[in-house]
Amino acid sequence: MVVAPGSTPSIEAYARPEARRIVAWLAERRRQPGVRWAGVCSGSLLLAEAGVFDGRACTSHHTLLERLRALAPAARVQENRVFVADGPCYSSAGITAGIDLALHLIADLADPAIARAVAREMVVYFRRSPQDPELSPWLAWRNHLHPALHRAQDLICADPVRDWPLDELAAKVHVSARHLSRLFRDQAGVSAHDYHRALRLALAQQWRSAGLGKEKAALSAGFSSARQMSRAAAAHD
């Protein structure tokens, strides 16, 4: 397996002589059988330039997709994906998405149980799949600069299964419940309840993808039953 990690600023780093030698090395070996190729964030640009992704689907950070298309016109560049797997070629949208890709590879090469154990060891609570959008509920509604609201969202993301009464959540981030409710509405454009519900629904979908039945997936995501989950999904839509 050859893994090309990202670098920043990539436009400067990849113009260096060392990067040029790496691209030449990759290009010489891109047709070698039995090799898996993985690009993490801007590292996908190196693989793309070497022709590794020709005829394959690939992705990179959303700010780099136009450069990726220019470097690999024969590739199928995918937008809004956490990571992409196409045959022996893998690519992730960003650095943290590279963790999701690594766990996917561990599950594929070894065993899903091992991947779950690694995720627990790394304190990665939630694993995303290649089908998940880059801007999933875990990343959405975060395009603001308010520290208290970010802290509240971090708390919910860290443990979406538990209940988060607004008063308790507000106390943990040192604002009033009324003020926190206003922050969610004005800064994130979503209520605290709807934000929490979206995370639980995303988590339940992941449990379903992992093979759990609807009832067990609902309970594992913090819903009281599959029926409550269905009502939440209907309200979310």
Side-chain angles (χ1 to χ4, degrees):
M1 179 179 292
V2 177
V3 179
S7 182
T8 185
S10 60
I11 199 164
E12 296 177 11
Y14 296 162
R16 294 170 60 87
E18 297 90 337
R20 298 298 88 213
R21 290 197 293 270
I22 289 171
V23 170
W25 185 91
L26 292 168
E28 291 174 359
R29 294 160 176 80
R30 69 183 187 276
R31 302 303 180 202
Q32 186 172 326
V35 178
R36 294 179 188 238
W37 309 89
V40 178
C41 195
S42 62
S44 294
L45 299 176
L46 296 174
L47 296 176
E49 189 175 359
V52 172
F53 291 146
D54 286 358
R56 301 282 186 180
C58 61
T59 196
S60 186
H61 192 271
H62 61 87
T63 62
L64 302 174
L65 292 178
E66 289 307 313
R67 285 174 61 194
L68 184 62
R69 289 190 179 96
L71 290 170
R76 301 190 304 277
V77 176
Q78 306 292 298
E79 297 185 11
N80 198 23
R81 285 291 175 267
V82 173
F83 64 89
V84 170
D86 188 350
C89 297
Y90 305 83
S91 49
S92 77
I95 298 299
T96 54
I99 297 175
D100 296 292
L101 173 55
L103 292 169
H104 173 81
L105 287 167
I106 292 169
D108 190 32
L109 292 168
D111 183 84
I114 295 176
R116 288 194 293 271
V118 172
R120 286 195 298 271
E121 177 67 21
M122 295 179 65
V123 199
V124 179
Y125 181 79
F126 182 79
R127 286 185 55 212
R128 294 177 289 178
S129 76
Q131 287 72 44
D132 286 328
E134 180 183 357
L135 298 178
S136 70
W138 303 91
L139 302 177
W141 304 298
R142 302 297 296 257
N143 189 27
H144 60 82
L145 299 176
H146 201 287
L149 181 53
H150 275 304
R151 289 196 299 270
Q153 289 173 307
D154 288 342
L155 287 168
I156 298 173
C157 283
D159 193 0
V161 175
R162 65 161 288 185
D163 290 330
W164 282 104
L166 190 62
D167 288 343
E168 179 185 351
L169 188 62
K172 286 184 177 293
V173 300
H174 310 295
V175 298
S176 70
R178 177 178 295 182
H179 185 52
L180 182 59
S181 179
R182 186 181 304 115
L183 288 176
F184 266 100
R185 183 182 67 250
D186 295 344
Q187 299 290 327
V190 65
S191 71
H193 172 77
D194 288 348
Y195 179 76
H196 191 187
R197 180 180 62 194
L199 297 187
R200 279 184 168 177
L201 288 170
L203 181 58
Q205 181 57 46
Q206 285 296 311
W207 282 120
R208 292 281 282 162
S209 298
L212 289 189
K214 189 174 182 180
E215 189 70 29
K216 286 188 176 180
L219 295 174
S220 297
F223 295 104
S224 61
S225 65
R227 178 176 295 181
Q228 187 198 32
M229 182 177 71
S230 295
R231 289 199 300 266
H236 182 68
D237 293 338

